[in-house]
Structures are given as structure tokens and as C-alpha cells.
Amino acid sequence: MRRALFVLLTGAILSCTRKPPDATPEGALREWIDHMQAQVTDAHETRAAYAMLSKATHENLEKRAVRASRIEGRRVEPYEVMAEGRFALRFEPMHFTTTTAGAVATIDVTGEDPTDRASMHAVKEGAVWRVELALPDLPDLPHRPEN
């Protein structure tokens, strides 16, 4: 009897718990935005924001970190490449509308003004959604001519 009651109560508690933020594309995006806004005053939030990014975005930031390391003469971590302390939203996100096609989602974000619009992408990696950043291609570094 006690065991059945314990199982029933455990099931009830677990069913009432919230889903993790990265269980949905818009939840992952909201969480990433929260971390990026918080990293302006707390540098540790940059790592949390980096963890919310997709594998493809990680690979892109790793390439940028290698390049930055060569330029700076010290090891630059991929999360350090993100705009630490310089992140700002163009508008306050009010509504998130998600279109999902398999493991890829487009999240249309709108604000208070009709011109406040942005589209972001997320990908499902395993059981969680990760934010996919559209980063521009890296231009080649200039080389000194050989003498």
C-alpha cells in the first residue's frame, strides 16, 4: 500500500514539474537571450549562453577562437568570441511564433512596434533544442609577402 502511494505521489510530482527551457525551440531561444542579457554584468553567463548554441554554431565559434588566438598570441576560448558585455537587443521580444520542420525550427520574434521583427533558428540535438546563429563567413587573413 505504501509503495503504491509513493509511486502515485512521485508520478504526480513529476507530471507537475516544468519542462526544461530547451525542451522547445522558443524556450531555448528565450533562455539564450536571458543568458546573453545577463552576461553584460556577469561574465559567467557567457558560458551558459554558449552551452545553448548548436553544434554547428560551436564549430563556427571554435574556428573564430583559433583565429583570435593566433592574432592575440594567447588561447582564446570559443565562448570568449561572443560579444561579452556588448550584447543588446534591437527590441524587446514580445511574441514568439515557431515553425518546425523535423529537427529544424524557425522562430519569428516580434516586439511592440510592427517593425520589431527578427527570425532565429534552432535545431534539435538529441532531446533538446539549441539556438543556431547565422554568422558571416570569415574573410581570409592578409598575408605578408615573402621576401
Side-chain angles (χ1 to χ4, degrees):
M1 177 71 174
R2 281 186 174 170
R3 181 179 166 104
L5 182 60
F6 175 76
V7 170
L8 182 64
L9 286 174
T10 302
I13 290 170
L14 291 176
S15 67
C16 292
T17 59
R18 286 184 174 173
K19 289 182 181 179
D22 56 8
T24 64
E26 61 275 2
L29 179 58
R30 287 175 196 257
E31 184 80 1
W32 180 77
I33 289 170
D34 289 347
H35 287 302
M36 288 301 291
Q37 287 181 307
Q39 63 93 24
V40 172
T41 56
D42 182 357
H44 296 311
E45 291 289 336
T46 306
R47 287 182 191 213
Y50 179 78
M52 298 297 301
L53 298 174
S54 69
K55 288 179 185 173
T57 303
H58 280 191
E59 290 170 4
N60 190 305
L61 291 173
E62 286 165 10
K63 289 177 187 172
R64 292 168 187 273
V66 167
R67 178 184 231 174
S69 296
R70 279 193 256 147
I71 292 169
E72 291 190 25
R74 69 169 183 86
R75 168 95 172 117
V76 175
E77 297 297 328
Y79 68 87
E80 291 179 284
V81 178
M82 295 191 317
E84 187 175 314
R86 294 182 200 92
F87 179 79
L89 295 172
R90 287 189 339 230
F91 61 89
E92 188 64 33
M94 303 292 271
H95 304 285
F96 294 74
T97 305
T98 303
T99 305
T100 306
V104 178
T106 300
I107 307 133
D108 293 313
V109 184
T110 56
E112 192 171 313
D113 190 91
T115 61
D116 294 342
R117 303 182 88 59
S119 282
M120 296 290 291
H121 299 280
V123 293
K124 192 162 190 177
E125 295 178 350
V128 297
W129 286 91
R130 295 292 180 230
V131 175
E132 181 116 334
L133 297 180
L135 299 170
D137 291 334
L138 285 172
D140 291 333
L141 287 174
H143 294 285
R144 284 191 227 176
E146 301 274 336
N147 289 341

